[in-house]
Amino acid sequence: MDLLLGIDVGTTNIKAVVYDPDRGEVLSTASQPTPTDHPRPGWTEHDPEALWRTVCAVVRQASAGWADRIGALAVASLAEAGVPLDAHDRPVYPIIAWHDPRTEPLVAVVEQQIDPARLYAITGHPVQAKFSLLKLLWLRQHQPAAFQRLVRWLCLEDYVIWRLSGEAATDYSIASRTLLFDQRQRTWSRELLDLFGLPQTLLPPAYPGGTPVGRVTPQAAATTGLRAGTLVATGGHDHLCGALAAGVTEPGQLLDSIGTAIGLVLATPTFAPDEDLRQSGYCLYCHAIPDRYVVQGGLTLGGGLLPWFLERWWPAAGGPGEAVFATALAAASAVPPGSGGLVWLPFLRGRGTPRNDARARGALVGLTADHEPRHALRALLEGLGYWLRENCERLAEREPLSEPLVAIGGGARMPLLLQLKATITGRALRAPAVAEATALGAALLAGLAGRRFTTPGEAAASVRCSDQLYTPGPDRPVYDRLYREVYRPLVTALTPLFHRLGPLAGV
């Protein structure tokens, strides 16, 4: 029983890896799309039972031939979304996706009940529509019958742990994303629970990532193919598990996790919130590893912009498969810096950090009849580079950033994007070739729980992989001027127009 299993419940896919810590290699991987429903235009939900069945299928596939040797497992997941259960452990409502916009009106409700600065001082989070608290308030307001039956709220990591082991548990990093967790005390905030009329029994006990909390039950073993009795441990927020796999554990290290969303993770030793950080939209909360915090920024739709673009802008029979991706990126690579005068503001689901603004929208500026899709694609990737530079400049004001930056996720497999980010930011960027970094990070936390590793640093150092290093290219002066003279002024100029546009357009 010398192998480790990591599960990653993601926005787009559910994945699992089997990791051999002695060889430092991932032996097996499996992935299936995350079951997703759209009951109304703009709404996104997940059926809890369909999600669990997919987890079982992915685990069974990944662990086939290895199950008897797996000693421990842990779960990473997207945060904020949760499963509301009744007294009979049945869901009372579907899982509201973390990015579902229906909770946006409740931001003002929360801010009326508590000073946002006070909330930030407790939780390390600005008020945003995605957090679990607002989903609970939405259920109470719009689904009162379901809310009256609600006795347990399990975020997705917690739900999978519960289905595997029968134990209710969460980790500090996922608990943090409920907007109900006290970062200094590392426990549920009695002040906030009382303020919003929620019982503490609604929420599971919280532990550091990599804490053993139970064992795979015979029933779960039958559906997953795992050995009954396999150790089950807490994992963590997906971006933070990816940070562990990539070795981002020390203060000053910055991770660029390029999934459907982009998560920026800056490791930091203490919880020291300040008003500038709050106004910028950054979250400050527990890392998935013990005794460490992170400053986290992000862009709700980041790496997902490429498939979005190709589906709508790049004609191809059968949709944007791998060949189409390669062809499109090659075409964009041939476009000169500056994309023929095109600039994208890549805010298709709000701006994110460092200027938190849910009302921001995307903008393509400079379009002429001479432009082709390849110009627009390169401009979109350049826009992501400008956005990263903005964040690096803001974060470096708080703590000096060490180099190289580290990139993981599906977007880290796009050399053009990574080279643009290095050139535009002026910072070296390392892309470790880790297979499924988030699930691998969960496997490493399982190793900590099973005492295969004694420290997070030892766990991260066990991973053997090659790195690709990107350094700033010769086009740095061109991008520096575009960033300072065009991108930044555009963001400032268009912000008030975005704010007027929504109400005028009825959105």
Side-chain angles (χ1 to χ4, degrees):
M1 296 183 287
D2 53 345
L3 304 180
L4 304 169
L5 175 68
I7 301 168
D8 170 22
V9 183
T11 303
T12 305
N13 294 293
I14 295 174
K15 304 173 183 178
V17 303
V18 175
Y19 178 64
D20 183 343
D22 292 324
R23 296 166 57 186
E25 296 178 1
V26 171
L27 302 179
S28 177
T29 67
S31 176
Q32 289 191 20
T34 303
T36 303
D37 301 310
H38 301 283
R40 295 187 192 179
W43 285 23
T44 304
E45 296 177 348
H46 310 287
D47 174 71
E49 197 60 35
L51 185 139
W52 168 244
R53 288 196 300 269
T54 304
V55 168
C56 292
V58 168
V59 169
R60 182 178 289 276
Q61 181 181 350
S63 64
W66 306 108
D68 288 342
R69 293 180 56 193
I70 294 172
L73 68 88
V75 185
S77 78
L78 56 91
E80 301 95 30
V83 183
L85 298 170
D86 66 14
H88 303 286
D89 293 327
R90 294 177 302 205
V92 302
Y93 196 78
I95 301 164
I96 301 173
W98 67 271
H99 55 80
D100 186 288
R102 75 185 77 176
T103 52
E104 288 176 1
L106 289 161
V107 170
V109 173
V110 171
E111 291 179 337
Q112 288 169 1
Q113 291 191 252
I114 184 170
D115 181 351
R118 172 60 183 161
L119 184 64
Y120 194 81
I122 298 170
T123 68
H125 289 75
V127 184
Q128 294 176 0
K130 61 187 174 183
F131 295 124
S132 303
L133 169 61
L134 285 84
K135 300 183 192 309
L136 286 163
L137 297 180
W138 186 91
L139 284 172
R140 180 158 63 191
Q141 181 177 3
H142 295 279
Q143 297 290 329
F147 187 83
Q148 286 178 358
R149 294 170 19 232
L150 174 64
V151 300
R152 192 196 302 265
W153 174 270
L154 297 177
C155 291
L156 298 196
E157 174 199 359
D158 321 343
Y159 181 66
V160 175
I161 288 174
W162 177 70
R163 294 297 297 261
L164 286 168
S165 68
E167 300 293 336
T170 191
D171 88 285
Y172 292 163
S173 66
I174 289 290
S176 298
R177 306 296 284 186
T178 62
L179 209 61
L180 292 166
F181 196 70
D182 186 319
Q183 295 296 328
R184 287 188 174 85
Q185 302 300 321
R186 296 183 184 178
T187 189
W188 300 112
S189 169
R190 172 54 62 190
E191 176 183 342
L192 296 177
L193 289 167
D194 289 346
L195 178 64
F196 293 103
L198 299 171
Q200 187 164 341
T201 54
L202 192 67
L203 302 165
Y207 305 97
T211 299
V213 293
R215 296 191 177 271
V216 172
T217 65
Q219 181 181 4
T223 55
T224 61
L226 294 171
R227 178 182 52 83
T230 301
L231 183 68
V232 178
T234 52
H237 190 186
D238 48 12
H239 295 303
L240 310 191
C241 290
L244 172 60
V248 177
T249 60
E250 296 303 316
Q253 292 182 296
L254 180 66
L255 178 78
D256 183 10
S257 178
I258 316 169
T260 303
I262 292 178
L264 300 179
V265 177
L266 175 65
T268 189
T270 59
F271 179 68
D274 62 62
E275 184 60 14
D276 287 343
L277 209 60
R278 183 183 74 84
Q279 293 285 356
S280 298
Y282 291 103
C283 301
L284 175 59
Y285 63 107
C286 291
H287 203 308
I289 60 177
D291 301 320
R292 187 75 80 224
Y293 290 89
V294 297
V295 178
Q296 194 230 15
L299 189 64
T300 302
L301 187 61
L305 286 171
L306 180 61
W308 169 85
F309 178 89
L310 295 181
E311 286 171 3
R312 290 161 175 79
W313 292 55
W314 203 276
E322 290 297 324
V324 175
F325 272 61
T327 299
L329 289 170
S333 296
V335 174
S339 303
L342 278 184
V343 177
W344 267 100
L345 302 189
F347 310 140
L348 274 67
R349 283 186 180 158
R351 181 175 302 151
T353 54
R355 306 188 194 189
N356 183 38
D357 186 359
R359 294 176 293 176
R361 296 293 180 262
L364 179 60
V365 179
L367 187 65
T368 73
D370 296 324
H371 286 115
E372 301 173 5
R374 62 194 179 101
H375 296 92
L377 176 55
R378 185 181 181 101
L380 185 61
L381 300 179
E382 290 173 343
L384 293 174
Y386 297 138
W387 175 84
L388 178 61
R389 176 170 169 176
E390 262 196 301
N391 280 273
C392 286
E393 290 177 350
R394 175 63 185 85
L395 291 170
E397 295 171 2
R398 178 182 179 87
E399 186 165 350
L401 303 184
S402 59
E403 290 195 32
L405 311 181
V406 181
I408 62 169
R413 294 193 290 270
M414 289 188 280
L416 174 59
L417 175 60
L418 299 191
Q419 183 59 61
L420 285 171
K421 287 189 171 190
T423 300
I424 291 170
T425 63
R427 297 175 181 272
L429 189 150
R430 176 175 66 89
V434 290
E436 307 299 354
T438 298
L440 176 57
L444 296 178
L445 288 169
L448 285 170
R451 299 189 177 181
R452 175 59 181 78
F453 309 116
T454 57
T455 67
E458 180 188 352
S462 75
V463 179
R464 299 174 188 170
C465 66
S466 60
D467 288 342
Q468 180 66 48
L469 184 67
Y470 297 86
T471 57
D475 301 320
R476 166 81 175 145
V478 175
Y479 284 121
D480 185 59
R481 290 194 64 185
L482 285 167
Y483 173 75
R484 291 184 291 103
E485 298 177 22
V486 180
Y487 175 84
R488 291 294 297 269
L490 271 177
V491 171
T492 301
L494 292 180
T495 292
L497 300 182
F498 290 143
H499 292 185
R500 292 175 203 159
L501 178 62
L504 288 173
V507 296

